[in-house]
């Protein structure tokens, strides 16, 4: 099934009666108001405030297809089913329907709409512990669902690869929190204060053509990693919140948070375990085959082709959202994705330059997603390709020098890896990969120590940034976000109405705001901006929210962000008579709560755009 067809079938299914959901647009992969994480890595992430009880303008039943990125999976890419970038189809009940509807609807979608054979579907359920009991309700619902299609569903307790319980013995498998509990941080012990989570129930598709691989244990079962089973959907019963004292309390609402990978659902409909053969990836693979004269069917070419396809797809989306490659946070991950792709391109010995290949790949990705997420209007798209070419060019210059240096050394040790990082910008993992590919020895002393330290750091930045907890962060973010509204209106008043938001990003330390403006701000302009924002803070203006039709909001001159798709009904935040914006972010009730506004830095942010860093003291 094509990605366009499957995405549409899913959204239509949840729009239709009796499900009656509203479609919400995908949020960006670089979150604007959530400094607890670098990337949007699941459909629920932009919905956290609503799962915690805030009212959503479109009601209690929502559905979408969310662009997602998981940096922690970067080293898994290369096999037939892992990618860093993916789309998550999602449906949510915000305190409305619960387990009974959710499990039945998803099964109906799989078997009636996608026409998957129920005999190939296996499910898992939370087995419970001393704190949260076993999910017997889901077990009973699944039994009934299977019975309705003539399958007598046997329940298997805590299967494991060596326990002797195999898939052949059951349909419904009970697992502990490590497998059947979902929060952004994982199991309950790992959840920071404020984080929502709950037990979940997953559905797996069986690829009968892939026999169990004994390397993964004696017996196969849904969570065995051998590839015989593929997880295609996860219904989380999001009903708990972690508290500062470590306990879990019930949320005001019992929510459903469902997510299913579009790429994997396509693989199931085609009964093809290789996600890279779907129309979401294959045009890039074909291009790489043409450019290299190498066949994808040759297993030796598969990992590099898959890595380039996945990494440049993720990079294209990030560049399209205005991210620049850099040495910190998201920019560093983007740089790693591009650099790793270039190294793999060399491995394939392309018949053109890596810059030329990068541009062509980026264009093919633009075509795959045209009218879905990427809008390759000439201007935007030429911005993406010029940043990409520039980054590849810079890397090519250092790559040769770095490889020469690397090749001269009999043993790659910590000092050399450090020098390569400092002088040539080689990430640690790239040095290790290149050395291993060349059969060079790595001195696993100092290098490993440094490497582990570094990996820990990047794992923490990409995955576990939630440490401080949502509750600790939220007040500072709310203030900085509200200040961003004041800043945007002030910029328009001082510089002119050509000022429009291009990007916004908030950490606990500062706000960052990108906007269209052709020239550097003068010292006087910066002083004037600070003065007006601080005046509006002093006036202690009331922040009001109303929910209206998008059309009405535009008629009332509420500001929007150019290029962003908005739902039919939106929240409009007005700050006194001073500012009016369509916005979903968190806001204080009175500007007097903001403190003193200070601009830290003003700089260029691409052509015709400026960037302001500011803080509240
Ligand atoms: N949040 C869950 C997941 O990411 C389901 O949407 O798997």
């Amino acid at each position: 099934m094509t990605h366009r067809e499957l995405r549409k079938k899913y959204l239509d299914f949840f729009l239709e009666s009796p499900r009656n959901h509203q479609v919400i647009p995908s949020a960006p992969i670089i979150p604007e108001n959530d400094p607890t994480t670098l990337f949007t890595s699941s459909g629920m992430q932009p919905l956290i405030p609503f799962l915690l009880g805030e009212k959503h303008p479109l009601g209690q039943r929502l559905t979408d297809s969310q662009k997602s990125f998981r940096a922690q999976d970067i080293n898994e890419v290369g096999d037939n089913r892992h990618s860093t970038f993916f789309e998550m189809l999602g449906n949510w009940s915000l305190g409305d329907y619960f387990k009974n509807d959710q499990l039945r609807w998803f099964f109906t979608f799989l078997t009636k709409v996608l026409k998957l054979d129920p005999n190939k579907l296996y499910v898992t359920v939370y087995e419970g512990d001393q704190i949260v009991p076993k999910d017997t309700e889901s077990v009973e619902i699944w039994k009934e669902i299977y019975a309705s299609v003539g399958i007598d569903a046997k329940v298997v307790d805590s299967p494991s690869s060596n326990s002797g319980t195999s898939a052949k013995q059951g349909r419904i498998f009970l697992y502990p929190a490590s497998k059947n509990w979902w929060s952004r941080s994982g199991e309950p012990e790992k959840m920071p204060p404020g984080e929502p989570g709950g037990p979940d129930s997953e559905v797996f598709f069986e690829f009968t053509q892939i026999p169990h691989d004994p390397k993964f244990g004696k017996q196969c079962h849904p969570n065995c990693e051998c590839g015989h089973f593929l997880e295609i959907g996860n219904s989380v019963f999001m009903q708990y919140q972690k508290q500062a004292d470590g306990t879990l309390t019930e949320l005001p609402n019992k929510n459903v948070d469902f997510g299913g990978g579009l790429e994997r659902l396509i693989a199931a409909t085609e009964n093809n375990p290789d996600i890279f053969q779907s129309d979401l990836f294959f045009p890039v693979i074909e291009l790489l085959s043409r450019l290299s004269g190498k066949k994808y069917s040759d297993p030796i070419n598969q990992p590099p082709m898959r890595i380039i396809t996945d990494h440049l797809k993720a990079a294209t989306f990030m560049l399209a959202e205005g991210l620049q490659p850099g040495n910190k946070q998201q920019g560093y991950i983007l740089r790693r994705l591009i650099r790793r792709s270039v190294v793999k391109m060399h491995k394939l010995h392309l018949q053109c330059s890596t810059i030329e290949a990068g541009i062509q790949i980026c264009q093919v990705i633009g075509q795959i997603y045209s009218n879905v997420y990427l809008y390759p209007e000439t201007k935007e798209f030429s911005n993406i390709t010029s940043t990409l070419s520039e980054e590849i060019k810079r890397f090519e210059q250092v790559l040769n020098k770095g490889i020469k240096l690397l090749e001269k050394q009999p043993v790659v040790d910590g000092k050399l890896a450090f020098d390569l990082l400092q002088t040539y910008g080689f990430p640690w993992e790239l040095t290790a990969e290149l050395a291993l590919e060349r059969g060079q020895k790595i001195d696993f002393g100092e290098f490993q120590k440094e490497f582990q330290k570094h990996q820990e750091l990047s794992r923490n930045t990409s995955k576990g940034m939630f440490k401080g907890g949502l509750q600790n962060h939220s007040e500072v973010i709310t203030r900085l976000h509200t200040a961003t509204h004041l800043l945007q209106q002030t910029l328009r008043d001082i510089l002119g109405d050509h000022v429009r938001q291009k990007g916004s990003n908030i950490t606990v330390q500062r706000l960052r705001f990108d906007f269209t403006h052709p020239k550097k701000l003068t010292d006087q302009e910066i002083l004037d901006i600070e003065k007006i924002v601080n005046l509006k803070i002093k006036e202690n203006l009331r922040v009001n929210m109303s929910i209206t039709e998008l059309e009405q909001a535009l008629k009332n001159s509420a500001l929007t962000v150019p290029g962003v798709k908005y739902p039919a009904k939106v929240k409009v935040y007005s700050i006194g008579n001073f500012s009016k914006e369509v916005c979903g972010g968190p806001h204080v009730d009175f500007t007097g709560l903001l403190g003193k506004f200070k601009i830290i830095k003003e700089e260029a942010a691409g052509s015709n755009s400026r960037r302001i860093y500011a803080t509240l003291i």
Side-chain angles (χ1 to χ4, degrees), residues 552-570:
Q552 190 57 43
L554 296 174
K555 257 192 220 146
N556 294 342
S557 313
L559 287 176
T560 51
V561 184
V564 168
K565 270 196 192 168
Y566 290 94
K569 260 193 187 169
V570 290

Side-chain angles (χ1 to χ4, degrees), residues 246-262:
T247 57
L248 288 173
T249 54
E250 294 257 354
L251 284 169
N253 286 335
K254 285 191 171 43
N255 308 299
V256 173
D257 155 34
F258 170 81
L262 176 65

Side-chain angles (χ1 to χ4, degrees), residues 155 166 181 235 303 353 361 382 408 489 583 587 599 608:
V155 181
S166 85
W181 179 278
S235 301
S353 74
I361 292 170
S382 64
K408 267 196 231 142
Q489 189 52 47
C583 183
H587 304 83
I599 293 181
N608 198 33

Side-chain angles (χ1 to χ4, degrees), residues 41-45 51 70 86 88-92 182-184 200 202 231 233-236 238 256-260:
S41 61
S42 62
M44 63 77 81
Q45 205 169 293
L51 291 162
R70 290 191 178 169
F86 63 101
M88 190 174 264
L89 298 178
N91 63 269
W92 290 273
W182 203 93
S183 81
R184 291 194 302 175
D200 66 21
E202 299 186 315
E231 186 223 313
N234 184 11
S235 301
V236 184
M238 193 65 77
V256 173
D257 155 34
F258 170 81

